[in-house]
Amino acid sequence: MKTLEEVIAELPDLHRDDLERWMGNALVQVSRESGTSRFSELQFARVRLICTLRYDMDVEEETLPVVMDLLDQLHDTRARLHTLSQAVLAQDEEVKAAVLQVVTEARRKRQG
């Protein structure tokens, strides 16, 4: 866990007022311990990502919630796909072959 001061110190381009606004707009979730804001490693990574989007890629402030929501959805979808893949791999060969056949047919239909 990192404090607000540690986050700002580790990200020299980060402006304190930007971070506080992102916290207020729920783009970043912090926990409070003894009145101090604390950032998990995941939330620190979110701050780094938002800094890249905002400062390096010039994503507009008003657009950040939409972009972050889409990235969250993508991350969730990837996690679900990974879980599904692990479940399929745990099945016997007949089931795996049947799933592969359905996936292959669906891909062919999409490609035309």
Side-chain angles (χ1 to χ4, degrees):
M1 299 284 275
K2 297 183 186 304
T3 65
L4 186 126
E5 298 303 325
E6 291 170 331
V7 170
I8 291 171
E10 289 191 40
L11 302 170
D13 292 336
L14 177 59
H15 305 282
R16 176 185 291 273
D17 57 330
D18 287 343
L19 179 55
E20 290 174 351
R21 189 174 50 258
W22 300 338
M23 291 164 49
N25 292 338
L27 290 176
V28 179
Q29 304 293 321
V30 296
S31 61
R32 300 258 185 222
E33 293 177 15
S34 304
T36 302
S37 297
R38 300 228 177 244
F39 296 77
S40 67
E41 288 302 315
L42 177 63
Q43 293 305 307
F44 178 64
R46 270 182 89 82
V47 172
R48 283 196 325 258
L49 174 59
I50 294 169
C51 285
T52 299
L53 292 168
R54 184 71 188 103
Y55 304 142
D56 298 342
M57 300 177 72
D58 293 322
V59 172
E60 297 291 330
E61 186 83 24
E62 301 79 28
T63 309
L64 284 174
V66 174
V67 172
M68 293 305 294
D69 183 57
L70 290 171
L71 289 171
D72 290 341
Q73 289 178 46
L74 179 60
H75 183 267
D76 183 57
T77 300
R78 290 184 70 202
R80 288 175 177 212
L81 182 58
H82 177 74
T83 300
L84 179 60
S85 296
Q86 294 303 308
V88 169
L89 288 174
Q91 302 306 309
D92 60 42
E93 293 304 316
E94 185 178 316
V95 173
K96 286 192 264 189
V99 170
L100 181 59
Q101 181 179 354
V102 170
V103 169
T104 302
E105 288 173 11
R107 186 179 314 151
R108 284 187 190 137
K109 287 180 183 177
R110 279 195 315 270
Q111 292 174 348

